Amino acid sequence: MSRRRADSQGSLGPDDEVMPYSDDETDDELDETSEEEADEPPGAPQPPGEIRPEIGWKVKANDRAYHQLPEFQKKVFLCIKKSRYSGNAIKTYKYNVITFLPLNLYEQFKRVANIYFLFLLILQVIPDISTLPWYTTLIPLVVVLGITAIKDLVDDLARHRMDKEINNRKCEVMLNGRFQEAKWMDIQVGDVVRMKKDEFTPADVLLLSSSNPNSLCYVETAELDGETNLKFKLGLRVTDEGLQEERQLAEFNALIQCEEPNNRLDKFVGAMTWNGEQYPLELDNMLLRGCKIRNTEYSHGLVIFAGADTKIMKNGGKTRFKRTNIDILMNYTVYIIFGLLILVSAGLAIGHAFWYKDIGAKAWYLYDGKSQTSDYRGFLSFWGYIIVLNTMVPISLYVSVEMIRLGQSKFINWDLQMYFSEKDTPAKARTTTLNEQLGQVEYIFSDKTGTLTQNIMQFKKCTIAGRSYGEPTSAEGVALDRGKQVDWSWNRWADKKFPFVDHFLVAHVRSKKDKDASEFFKLLSLCHTVMVDDKDGELMYQAASPDEGALVTAARNFGFVFLSRTQDTVTIREMDKEVTYGMLALLDFNSDRKRMSIILKFPDGRIRLYCKGADTVIYQRLSPNSNHKESTQTALDTFANETLRTLCLCYKDISTEEYEVWSRKHKEAQVALFNREEALDRVYEEIESNLMLIGATAIEDKLQDGVPETISKLAKAGIKIWVLTGDKKETAENIGFSCQLLDDDMQIHYGEDVNEKLGRRQAMRRTEPQTSRQSKKKHAEPFFSGSGRNALIITGGWLNEILYEKKKKRRRLRLRRLGKQRTPTGPQDGQPMDEWEKEMRQIDFVDMACECESVICCRVTPKQKANVVSLVKKYKKAVTLSIGDGANDVNMIKTADIGVGISGQEGMQAVMSSDYAFAQFRYLQRLLLVHGRWSYIRMCKFLRFFFFKNFAYTLVHFWYSFFNGYSSQVAYEDWFITLYNLLYSSLPVLLVGLLDQDVNDRLSLKFPKLYLPGQQGKLFNYEKFFISLFHGIFASLIIFFIPYGAFQQTMGQDGEAPSDYQSFAVVTASALIFIVNLQISLDTSFWTFVNCFAVLGSIAIYFGVMFDLHSAGIHVIFPSVFTFTGAASNALRQPYLWLIIILTVGITLLPVICIQFLHKTIWPSVADKIYRNRKKYEKELEEEEKKKQPPAFQRGRRSRRSGYAFSHSQGYGSLISTGQSIRRRPQGRGRPPATIKEHPRREAENT
């Protein structure tokens, strides 16, 4: 049904059933039939080259040398050329044996910090500047680069394995005149391949012939779109007749000319030239890479596009380098530290220049034999302090972050609660760089089919002659509290796994007393387009949609078994007898009719029409004498309320005379040369009237387990979920109610409403003065007034209309450039007046959508999915997550900040492009609310402490410089500087980053509000960074000045003064180690044996290594490297110095303890409150689990919306009515009867 556009001049609105390809269209669509030229004079001159671009892709069958000709070469680099035809190997890895070391080092040195440390290393080699030995920087740098390189190598080896697995799949290829087994990677454009049942298509292939009649081939497209229902493809008649034998295929030498490789999954245009004749090609003749051959023993095809040129790979979108918000913030904080470092070093260098001029140059005992000016000495001092204070930017920061991320990824992989045992599929973190971003997600964009749903339909309930069935009931009709599954052993044809709990309906049908019940299931077994295979006595149904399969299976279980069909008969078994009905006409389903009908001739000569369809169209066509309309409508409302998908069933008896009159009209409409579809619709409408209602079916589109609960919890965590699907509007809306994204209290807005509201806002903006509108980026007024809850359901066609991405955009712009069309100057034009207006329109749409609680975009293309995600990223600056399971979700997955693939299905394309993968949607709540939240908390705590400990450690040099003439003298021993971040203080903070948790996983899931601080970025931001900076400054002041003051006038027990430089260095270093390890102990929320061991072990390692390095033995071996001989033993045997250490530690930590106490008692966070009452909450959880029973789905009030949602697609009816899927191939493969003709698909549907 067409609608008016809100902003166009009498043109029709977009078709809700069509998936629009806005800028994805190929150039051949922009031809002279464009509607913009409708008002041009007939003789208007056409610009040259505008008629249709030349089709430039040529493929010669069985001729590999042809594709290497010079005309098909393209320049790669300078004079190096290669074929424009891609090989069939795919490559997702980054490195090989030769490129690993240079490429990896190049990527690592793109980090500013690594270049900085390399620069420091070079400075330390210069004798005049160096204040520290070169190894203090070289050792940490090598360790960091080595660990990162190993991690990158492990990740890339996994990609190598995945690529190798796909590239080494086997397929039969025509080589040297016969079929030989070859790897996918060795297949080339122009090869003839043989594909067998249950094999994947290795490339985009032109179907030549198959084992089925008329070269029909059934495919499953789960890897492309996640759908498991069968689709059909047809070979050309000429190739079906002439290319069955191996010899014929070997001699096949056709030339294919077609469109260039592109990403349109719904379109293919080309022509085949063979034996001097030309034959048109279209999408129905193509098997796309990723399709799985089903119910077809073998099929032959010609490779048209291979590898990167295939449509599935073209739809993948660009691989984007993803970085977390923490990463970006961390880089900015490092830049701030760089700035501080340069300022501090410059200030100290200036101080040194003045000090040397006033004091140093005059002190004879400081003379070093160099005649350098004070300014030059100040310049050298600047670089010296750059080296001394370089630990303000810790080199170990990045490697520690990578180790923490690696550990978090392993925890996700090892989580047994995210393991799906039915398919032996664990969760998999395919990246190690985004874990903390999982704790900051604000928007989730989800596919529907295969992601929220299982794509499994189950016949749940029905209403027959005004009575509803499907609730747990005994055979006598007594309602039961708990249902027992029906025993189908009485029916040998039944599907024993078919779940049904109403024993009364089964008994009722078996008794044969109720004619309405028998007629109900007879209709289900006759009115459909299902095809059947009988394999060893087992009936295998091939349905165009899961809905059809569920209905025919239900009829089969109730004793009405669909057995077989020919072009003009349908045979079923009615309980114990086999009956064949003559099929006079099949009125196929389409999205406008929303119904299908079949006209049958009964064995006794009666003619009857059976019809099934949406209640909205069936009720309009019911006879006034039809019974049970009100009671059936009540049942339909109940079914819709339970989010079941409904279809109404009805019939009509037709007299022979009436049928003959109608049949003549039908034949005339079939051969109409113009407006054939409209003529057929009028004829169908005529016969589908005065129908008699039998009842209605209710099918459950089975959601994955736990989907409603997961969506509810994520919503409580402040996460908005948008569903982006290629499915129909009715189906998507029905699933929205099923998974509780939508409810009856919501005001649902559709494309027309949205377009109207945005048009009004745009008109208001156009009336504003030019100066004020440019400055006003957003309109403050909300789109929806009042406190009601809103939801948005919009189709791809309306999305293009709203965002100014109309189908003929490029054509219109081209005409505008040529002067044929004026630039729009007023609001009557449907296009934006300028780029600013287009941007404002996009902002308005995003703002409106974000005001809604739920958003569902249906009939959207893969590119539109990605565009919606990028709009929210761009204008909301929010962290986005996309989740899907098919190749049509890959672009969306790559565009979002985090991509999640549903694994365990047939299709693995989404998983290969994802950052995280698991088998069920319900695991998303654990990924975000547990692993994501913990990762974010741990990383924030790690960064805050890491900056603190390095400021506390480094700034001691700064205070010391005031007492050493700003001479770049270090306050610690060289080896302490080298090992501080590697050994003495790294392990406790690393373990906090890996293991810490404020509350356990069960409480994290029970209280989703705990997730909010991550979304708001409260735990690490510029404020937290500067708090760590000032905390470090305070700690460094205490660490330096308390020992310095205590050392002023000191006498040891042995009468010696321990106030020498080396003793001072030992005391400050010891106090620092105690402070940082006890500080991390105060910050640790979750204590384990490992944490305790790390803290005590770090202190023990410090003292053990220090005493070894200060021993006389090592000094004898390396006298110039180890110069603190006996310093530790001499200093630490003085009780007075131990008292200084204790005093320093106490004064530093006491304010921290007080602040933490006040925060937890006076200003506790939500996590603090939950932790305080954790035992009570855990007890409540245990009681809830004991009482937990699966709740029946109920709603607060009855719904009056239609429950119609039928995923049937048009086209299967033509296969049956023309006999293409049924007629057997002639034995001799000779010329077929003249009645079989080659038609384009659109004609064949109505022939």
Side-chain angles (χ1 to χ4, degrees), residues 1024-1039:
K1024 298 292 183 185
F1025 167 73
F1026 282 109
I1027 288 173
S1028 295
L1029 171 61
F1030 290 121
H1031 186 191
I1033 293 171
F1034 168 75
S1036 65
L1037 272 168
I1038 304 296
I1039 290 168

Side-chain angles (χ1 to χ4, degrees), residues 511-569:
S511 69
K512 304 180 185 177
K513 294 177 182 177
D514 189 336
K515 289 185 179 179
D516 288 322
S518 298
E519 201 68 19
F520 181 89
F521 288 106
K522 186 192 292 185
L523 186 154
L524 292 182
S525 65
L526 290 167
C527 184
H528 55 76
T529 59
V530 173
M531 300 172 198
V532 63
D533 275 346
D534 189 348
K535 294 193 176 179
D536 305 323
E538 184 75 22
L539 295 178
M540 305 291 291
Y541 290 150
Q542 303 165 13
S545 70
D547 308 65
E548 284 252 271
L551 293 174
V552 177
T553 301
R556 166 182 171 177
N557 274 60
F558 279 91
F560 291 79
V561 186
F562 168 55
L563 295 177
S564 64
R565 77 183 331 140
T566 65
Q567 184 178 354
D568 45 24
T569 65

Side-chain angles (χ1 to χ4, degrees), residues 515-749:
K515 289 185 179 179
D516 288 322
S518 298
E519 201 68 19
F520 181 89
F521 288 106
K522 186 192 292 185
L523 186 154
L524 292 182
S525 65
L526 290 167
C527 184
H528 55 76
T529 59
V530 173
M531 300 172 198
V532 63
D533 275 346
D534 189 348
K535 294 193 176 179
D536 305 323
E538 184 75 22
L539 295 178
M540 305 291 291
Y541 290 150
Q542 303 165 13
S545 70
D547 308 65
E548 284 252 271
L551 293 174
V552 177
T553 301
R556 166 182 171 177
N557 274 60
F558 279 91
F560 291 79
V561 186
F562 168 55
L563 295 177
S564 64
R565 77 183 331 140
T566 65
Q567 184 178 354
D568 45 24
T569 65
V570 181
T571 302
I572 66 170
R573 178 177 294 278
E574 299 178 11
M575 291 302 182
D576 50 5
K577 65 176 180 177
E578 194 171 299
V579 185
T580 299
Y581 296 85
M583 189 179 77
L584 302 178
L586 183 63
L587 285 55
D588 198 9
F589 172 92
N590 69 37
S591 54
D592 289 330
R593 285 166 37 74
K594 297 184 180 178
R595 62 190 183 278
M596 74 163 290
S597 302
I598 188 169
I599 302 175
L600 299 169
K601 189 168 186 177
F602 280 55
D604 59 8
R606 288 182 297 140
I607 297 175
R608 176 169 286 186
L609 176 143
Y610 284 130
C611 180
K612 66 182 181 188
D615 53 335
T616 51
V617 296
I618 295 295
Y619 265 69
Q620 295 171 9
R621 291 159 177 80
L622 290 180
S623 166
N625 301 323
S626 181
N627 299 321
H628 317 298
K629 286 194 279 191
E630 290 77 13
S631 53
T632 303
Q633 183 62 58
T634 302
L636 285 168
D637 292 341
T638 305
F639 297 156
N641 196 41
E642 296 172 2
T643 69
L644 300 175
R645 300 162 68 136
T646 59
L647 283 176
C648 286
L649 310 184
C650 51
Y651 73 95
K652 175 185 178 180
D653 287 318
I654 304 172
S655 66
T656 305
E657 295 78 14
E658 184 184 357
Y659 172 72
E660 287 177 355
V661 172
W662 178 85
S663 181
R664 283 194 296 272
K665 294 179 180 178
H666 184 223
K667 287 174 183 174
E668 289 172 6
Q670 280 183 314
V671 294
L673 296 177
F674 302 103
N675 300 322
R676 180 180 296 169
E677 292 183 2
E678 291 81 353
L680 281 167
D681 281 344
R682 284 195 298 272
V683 174
Y684 292 167
E685 190 79 29
E686 185 179 321
I687 198 72
E688 293 172 329
S689 60
N690 293 316
L691 305 173
M692 304 299 290
L693 185 64
I694 304 174
T697 61
I699 294 175
E700 180 185 28
D701 187 358
K702 203 164 175 56
L703 290 172
Q704 291 189 12
D705 294 340
V707 167
E709 295 83 356
T710 299
I711 288 175
S712 174
K713 276 191 179 165
L714 293 175
K716 290 176 183 174
I719 300 171
K720 290 191 175 182
I721 299 177
W722 294 20
V723 175
L724 311 179
T725 177
D727 219 331
K728 298 178 183 177
K729 184 168 73 173
E730 295 90 353
T731 311
E733 184 174 347
N734 188 278
I735 288 299
F737 279 97
S738 295
C739 63
Q740 298 181 18
L741 269 175
L742 305 174
D743 60 47
D744 292 324
D745 295 326
M746 284 184 179
Q747 177 69 38
I748 298 176
H749 303 272

Side-chain angles (χ1 to χ4, degrees), residues 93 161 181 183 192 326 356 365 461 508 543 574 577 591 768 819 826 881 945 951 1001 1022 1041 1082 1107-1108 1135 1201 1234:
Y93 60 83
R161 282 193 294 271
E181 195 173 76
K183 297 176 180 177
V192 174
I326 292 283
Y356 187 81
Y365 55 87
K461 295 183 179 182
H508 206 47
E574 299 178 11
K577 65 176 180 177
S591 54
E768 294 174 357
L881 180 147
F945 181 77
F951 287 134
D1001 55 340
Y1022 289 113
F1041 282 103
L1082 291 174
F1107 278 112
D1108 284 341
R1201 67 184 181 85

Side-chain angles (χ1 to χ4, degrees), residues 766-929:
R766 280 173 170 167
T767 59
E768 294 174 357
Q770 185 75 16
T771 53
S772 64
R773 78 169 198 171
Q774 292 289 350
S775 61
K776 194 187 296 183
K777 211 55 181 160
K778 291 189 180 181
H779 210 286
E781 186 183 337
F783 285 91
F784 304 113
S785 56
S787 58
R789 299 162 64 225
N790 297 285
L792 186 65
I793 298 179
I794 190 165
T795 59
W798 278 111
L799 199 60
N800 274 357
E801 186 89 0
I802 288 163
L803 299 179
Y804 294 140
E805 296 287 354
K806 296 182 183 176
K807 194 173 177 63
K808 298 292 192 293
K809 183 177 89 172
R810 282 190 282 174
R811 175 65 178 165
R812 186 177 289 111
L813 294 177
R814 186 181 299 166
L815 291 174
R816 187 179 298 161
R817 281 199 300 272
L818 293 167
K820 287 187 172 188
Q821 185 174 341
R822 290 179 300 123
T823 302
T825 56
Q828 73 277 3
D829 195 298
Q831 290 299 298
M833 293 172 64
D834 50 34
E835 283 301 314
W836 179 86
E837 191 168 88
K838 180 177 179 178
E839 182 183 355
M840 292 307 300
R841 177 82 155 194
Q842 292 176 346
I843 292 172
D844 287 343
F845 171 72
V846 172
D847 288 343
M848 178 189 287
C850 292
E851 284 180 32
C852 299
E853 288 192 19
S854 303
V855 177
I856 297 177
C857 300
C858 41
R859 303 307 281 170
V860 287
T861 65
K863 185 174 182 181
Q864 282 182 312
K865 291 183 178 185
N867 285 345
V868 170
V869 176
S870 61
L871 282 176
V872 174
K873 280 177 64 179
K874 181 179 179 181
Y875 296 123
K876 288 296 175 184
K877 308 296 182 191
V879 178
T880 57
L881 180 147
S882 291
I883 179 168
D885 71 321
N888 59 340
D889 302 315
V890 168
N891 209 342
M892 170 177 80
I893 285 171
K894 288 182 175 179
T895 302
D897 295 302
I898 301 165
V900 177
I902 298 290
S903 59
Q905 308 296 324
E906 293 290 350
M908 294 295 288
Q909 195 72 20
V911 171
M912 289 173 62
S913 304
S914 66
D915 304 306
Y916 299 89
F918 42 70
Q920 295 279 288
F921 181 84
R922 68 177 184 270
Y923 298 148
L924 188 60
Q925 63 173 317
R926 187 166 180 84
L927 182 72
L928 299 185
L929 303 185

Side-chain angles (χ1 to χ4, degrees), residues 303-319:
V303 176
I304 304 296
F305 303 126
D309 291 332
T310 57
K311 290 183 180 285
I312 191 173
M313 299 301 287
K314 288 284 184 183
N315 260 292
K318 293 180 181 177
T319 301

